[in-house]
Amino acid sequence: MTKHLYRTLTWPEVKERAAAGAVIVIGVAAIEQHGYHLPVDTDNVLVEHVTEEAARRSDGQILTAPMIHYGFNEHNMGFPGTINVRETVFIDFCYDVAHSFVRQGFDRIVFVNGHGSNQMLCNLAARRINNTTRALAGAVPHWALAREAVDKLRQSEYPGGMAHACEFETSIYMYLRPELVQGDKMVPRETPSRVSRFIYDDLFGSGPVHMVNRWSRITQTGVEGDPMLATEEKGKAFAECAIANLVEFARSFRQMEVPAEVDLNYRNETL
Ligand SMILES: [Zn+2]
């Protein structure tokens, strides 16, 4: 079977896979508080599962890179357990990792992100790849790949019911590592970021105004949403949907044609 994890390849094998046009998937997550009931590695566990399973099922089309474990998390530093990487450092770091793959000859890179506040930074790192190299890069949060399953199974209120350590994240963690979910410590429902019709937050749609407050100002538990609605069955369905969509996206991304770039600017040769 073709290897699906980049870390297991030798350098000649890396060269072969670049020549074969493998799509590089880079998981990006965070170490941060997830309420009283979930471990601080929640985002890592979810992203690792989705990205590694997708690669395993992709017939060699996806090669999953070692993850970026830490994320941009200043807003959560009021809670023990959280690690922060400054936003500009994070963009540069993600870019440098992706750019290293491009320098080896890979030309399709996807960041699959598991932490909300990383998303806009991953988007920018991907765009910098597109603007500075011949490769194409994109970025997607793994919950967006689970949309169809969420639409079918979601019981949380909208907006605010699925945001952090919520029905969505708790369900997948329960499915993957049930022994580490402390069900007796779950809080029933918290929607601290639903401030007004302009400012609210949910994995599946936020308010028109982007305003992320420092977290300890608005919640004592660190939860945003309703983990009491989580089940292992939902977790499996969410994860399976994300995996299937990631495999399908990688396949189409690989086949996407890149038209030649033209520069129509006037050139004054005397300058
Ligand atoms: Zn999370």
Side-chain angles (χ1 to χ4, degrees), residues 126-236:
R127 288 181 62 172
R128 200 194 287 173
I129 291 289
N130 298 343
N131 286 333
T132 58
T133 77
R134 293 186 331 158
L136 290 182
V140 63
H142 69 87
W143 50 86
L145 295 167
R147 175 117 223 178
E148 296 95 329
V150 170
D151 285 347
K152 225 181 285 172
L153 300 170
R154 176 176 181 149
Q155 290 177 290
S156 307
E157 64 182 323
Y158 177 86
M162 275 191 178
H164 185 68
C166 54
E167 180 188 6
F168 183 81
E169 287 193 317
T170 306
S171 291
I172 306 182
Y173 207 99
M174 265 180 179
Y175 163 56
L176 297 173
R177 301 195 183 163
E179 70 284 2
L180 291 177
V181 179
Q182 300 186 46
D184 56 329
K185 301 213 174 114
M186 281 180 196
V187 288
R189 180 166 67 86
E190 264 208 311
T191 49
S193 81
R194 204 176 53 193
V195 178
S196 71
R197 73 186 179 91
F198 300 104
I199 299 173
Y200 54 84
D201 205 14
D202 192 283
L203 296 177
F204 295 91
S206 297
V209 176
H210 180 89
M211 202 288 293
V212 178
N213 209 334
R214 294 182 68 77
W215 213 229
S216 60
R217 285 177 178 157
I218 51 174
T219 164
Q220 293 206 324
T221 66
V223 171
E224 189 183 0
D226 196 349
M228 305 291 278
L229 298 170
T231 67
E232 263 184 70
E233 293 70 32
K234 285 181 193 170
K236 183 177 184 188

Side-chain angles (χ1 to χ4, degrees), residues 32-34 42-43 46 114-116 143 163-165 169:
E32 65 168 334
Q33 70 79 15
H34 275 77
T42 296
D43 294 349
L46 272 48
H115 169 60
W143 50 86
H164 185 68
E169 287 193 317

